[in-house]
Structure formats: structure tokens, C-alpha cells
Amino acid sequence: MGGTGYYTHRDCWKHEMGAGHPECPQRLDVIEDRLLLSGVADALDKRDAPLASRADLLLAHDGHYLDSLRGMSDRLLEDYAAGGPAHAAIDPDTSLGLHSWQAALRASGAALAATDAVIAGDLANAFCAVRPPGHHAERAKSMGFCFFNHVAIAARYALDRHGLRRVAIVDFDVHHGNGTENILAGDDRVLMASFFQHPFYPFSGTAAPAGNMLNLPVPAYTRGLEIRDLVETHWTPRMDAFAPELILVSAGFDAHREDDMGQLGLTDQDFVWLSQWVMDMARRHARGRVVSVLEGGYALDALARCVEGHVRVLAGLS
Ligand SMILES: [Zn+2]
């Protein structure tokens, strides 16, 4: 049984959506600094993320969508070479930069390589420190800082390529993972458990979700102890009944009380508790197999501390 993998790639730093954008390369800097300074990095098996292939992306995305996004990226590069702008807007929050396509391929590639290694038993579990994030990306739509849905692609990859029968997704980002739901709703080989602030961006997840979507909308200012109660009451029995063979985590840290992207009241210790819950479920049902992928988290100090706490739990350091 291997250790804890840490997947990232310098290409993930090159993606940027303009000065002052909260989904910024510094997010990865503070995570790396914290893991190095704390000594946690010494316990991790650090690996470069490969590029996801088109065939991999097609597990969760529409071919026309991929072509159109690739075309947009190619045109941006050509226009930029001719003196044009360095960004192409997709929505008011989301834009393609010169390196975004490549970074997104690395981010999905990280999730897939981690899935390969964890299923092979080469790694016990893994964390992917990647950007852009993925859980808002729908089958045929970029939105909310996301282009490819890394966790949804990895779920289908584990099922279709590795022959797993049941994969769980745990999404603790403050925002609803509308993209993951859009892609995987009704696929009963997947159970997606998430809580999210509601009503709040992207204003989804509450209208009669499919049976495999375990959605817990919570109001602004909900605190961690209430979340823990909800998890034990609603998630634990469903997860036990489902018995996943692999758990993927959409690891967003923007539900932290210091993160003003959202208004939930979680603390560092709540994220440790959630990480331990995931590991308990994985040990009980999935031979400990967990692949966790960074989603949101924009208060840089809190993000760095919470990722350290999360990775410590994965690595068995706390
Ligand atoms: Zn978020």
C-alpha cells in the first residue's frame, strides 16, 4: 500500500483570469508554502500531473463543447500574437487566458492519474492541488471559474475504464456543484453527497434532484456543528448503503468563516472533521481509496491552513 500522492503542475499556475481575480495563482503558492513550512510536504509523494486526453474529457463533456472551447483558446492565442487582449470572457466571472486550456487539461489529468494510482494500489490516496477548479463545469458549458469537471471525468473514468461499480463524490465547497450534478444525475453508479449555501450561486441543486444526488442546502451562517450533524444524519447511512469502491472529493474550502466568497461558518477543525469522515467511509467501504481535488477557497490564509489539515488527515499525520 502506497502513501499519499500530491499531484500538481506548473501549468496550473499559468492560468489567470486578470488582475484581482480571486481564483488566482497565489492560491497554489500559499498551499505549497504551507505544506513545505509545516513539513507535511516531506510525507507526500509529489507527482507532475499529465495532460488529460480528448477521449478522457469525452467521458463527461460534449465533443462540440470541447471543440468550441479549444477554438476559442486557439483564436485567443492568434489574436494575442497580433496584439490583441490576453483574455476571452466566457461569463462575467470566468475567462480564458493564454494558458487556461493547458492548465485545465493538467487539472483533469491530475485527477485521472491519481485515480489510476489509487486503484492500482500504488498510492493509498491523493490530493490534487490544481486550478482551474471543475465542479461548476457542465457537460457543455464553462461557468463559475470552471472549464472541465475533473471530478465527474474521474468518476466516469473509474467506472468505465477501471470497471469499478460504485463511486461516491463528496463535495464540501460552499457552492453547489451544479456541473457534477448536470453530468452525473441519474447515473446510479455514482452517489454525490454535498452541502452548499442556499440560496446562493449557482442557484441550483434544490429542484427535485435525481435519486443519486444527496443535496443538503443550508442557509447562510450555518456553523460547522450543524453541518456535522447533517452529515452524520443524512450522509452516513446513505454512504453505508451505497458502499462506494472509491471516494472522490470536490475539496472546496470557501465554506470557511474567513472566506467572504460565501457566508457559511466552518472552521479549520470542521474541515479536519469532514476529511476524517471521508477517510472513515473510505476505510469502511473502499479500501481507503480517496482522490481529492481542489475546488474553491479564496481566503488565502484559511485556504492554506485547511489544505494542510486535509492533507494531514489523508496522510495519516493527524
Ligand atoms: Zn466554491
Side-chain angles (χ1 to χ4, degrees), residues 197-276:
Q197 183 177 330
H198 177 79
F200 193 48
Y201 182 88
F203 305 100
S204 53
T206 53
N212 67 324
M213 293 289 138
L214 185 46
N215 294 355
L216 292 176
V218 296
Y221 307 111
T222 301
R223 289 180 170 248
L225 287 180
E226 295 164 72
I227 295 286
R228 298 185 196 192
D229 270 353
L230 288 168
V231 165
E232 285 182 331
T233 305
H234 297 278
W235 288 7
T236 303
R238 278 294 296 276
M239 208 57 83
D240 283 341
F242 183 70
E245 297 170 301
L246 167 71
I247 301 181
L248 302 171
V249 183
S250 266
F253 299 91
D254 43 6
H256 196 283
R257 61 179 56 183
E258 291 172 22
D259 198 314
D260 58 14
M261 188 70 82
Q263 287 80 41
L264 292 188
L266 276 67
T267 63
D268 296 22
Q269 278 310 305
D270 293 320
F271 286 103
V272 168
W273 186 90
L274 284 165
S275 307
Q276 284 167 340

Side-chain angles (χ1 to χ4, degrees), residues 133 135-136 144-145 171-176 200-201 252-255 261 295-298:
H135 77 152
H136 294 306
F145 317 162
D171 185 330
F172 54 69
D173 192 277
V174 77
H175 302 97
H176 175 235
F200 193 48
Y201 182 88
F253 299 91
D254 43 6
M261 188 70 82
E295 300 279 3
Y298 306 97

Side-chain angles (χ1 to χ4, degrees), residues 1-316:
M1 205 57 170
T4 293
Y6 179 82
Y7 285 84
T8 190
H9 196 282
R10 291 312 299 181
D11 286 348
C12 293
W13 270 257
K14 295 179 185 167
H15 163 63
E16 49 78 32
M17 296 189 284
H21 197 293
E23 206 291 276
C24 58
Q26 289 72 30
R27 298 177 64 231
L28 296 181
D29 282 332
V30 299
I31 288 170
E32 294 244 314
D33 285 354
R34 182 89 192 181
L35 293 175
L36 284 168
L37 284 167
S38 63
V40 172
D42 297 336
L44 305 176
D45 189 338
K46 187 172 180 180
R47 299 180 179 194
D48 262 350
L51 296 167
S53 70
R54 178 180 169 84
D56 297 333
L57 302 178
L58 284 169
L59 290 165
H61 292 287
D62 182 79
H64 295 298
Y65 165 67
L66 297 176
D67 294 341
S68 116
L69 195 64
R70 177 64 192 261
M72 195 173 169
S73 178
D74 289 347
R75 278 194 304 280
L76 175 70
L77 292 169
E78 286 166 21
D79 292 351
Y80 181 75
H87 300 94
I90 285 173
D91 68 28
D93 301 323
T94 312
S95 57
L96 269 179
L98 302 172
H99 305 285
S100 302
W101 174 263
Q102 185 87 352
L105 288 178
R106 293 285 181 196
S108 287
L112 297 176
T115 298
D116 282 337
V118 166
I119 290 176
D122 171 34
L123 293 172
N125 54 46
F127 179 72
C128 302
V130 292
R131 39 185 303 282
H135 77 152
H136 294 306
E138 298 189 346
R139 182 161 190 82
K141 187 180 181 186
S142 306
M143 60 180 276
F145 317 162
C146 302
F147 305 93
F148 305 144
N149 195 316
H150 321 305
V151 160
I153 297 165
R156 283 270 165 78
Y157 182 83
L159 294 162
D160 294 350
R161 302 274 175 80
H162 283 286
L164 265 54
R165 289 165 297 176
R166 293 175 308 281
V167 174
I169 296 172
V170 174
D171 185 330
F172 54 69
D173 192 277
V174 77
H175 302 97
H176 175 235
N178 62 291
T180 317
E181 177 164 313
N182 169 262
I183 293 162
L184 296 172
D187 185 340
D188 289 327
R189 302 171 299 169
V190 177
L191 176 66
M192 178 180 181
S194 72
F195 66 81
F196 48 90
Q197 183 177 330
H198 177 79
F200 193 48
Y201 182 88
F203 305 100
S204 53
T206 53
N212 67 324
M213 293 289 138
L214 185 46
N215 294 355
L216 292 176
V218 296
Y221 307 111
T222 301
R223 289 180 170 248
L225 287 180
E226 295 164 72
I227 295 286
R228 298 185 196 192
D229 270 353
L230 288 168
V231 165
E232 285 182 331
T233 305
H234 297 278
W235 288 7
T236 303
R238 278 294 296 276
M239 208 57 83
D240 283 341
F242 183 70
E245 297 170 301
L246 167 71
I247 301 181
L248 302 171
V249 183
S250 266
F253 299 91
D254 43 6
H256 196 283
R257 61 179 56 183
E258 291 172 22
D259 198 314
D260 58 14
M261 188 70 82
Q263 287 80 41
L264 292 188
L266 276 67
T267 63
D268 296 22
Q269 278 310 305
D270 293 320
F271 286 103
V272 168
W273 186 90
L274 284 165
S275 307
Q276 284 167 340
W277 182 86
V278 167
M279 286 296 288
D280 286 348
M281 288 294 129
R283 283 193 207 97
R284 195 180 297 173
H285 299 294
R287 294 188 241 163
R289 299 191 288 210
V290 173
V291 173
S292 177
V293 182
L294 181 66
E295 300 279 3
Y298 306 97
L300 296 179
D301 291 348
L303 172 67
R305 297 194 311 269
C306 289
V307 169
E308 183 200 335
H310 179 63
V311 172
R312 273 186 187 279
V313 172
L314 292 183

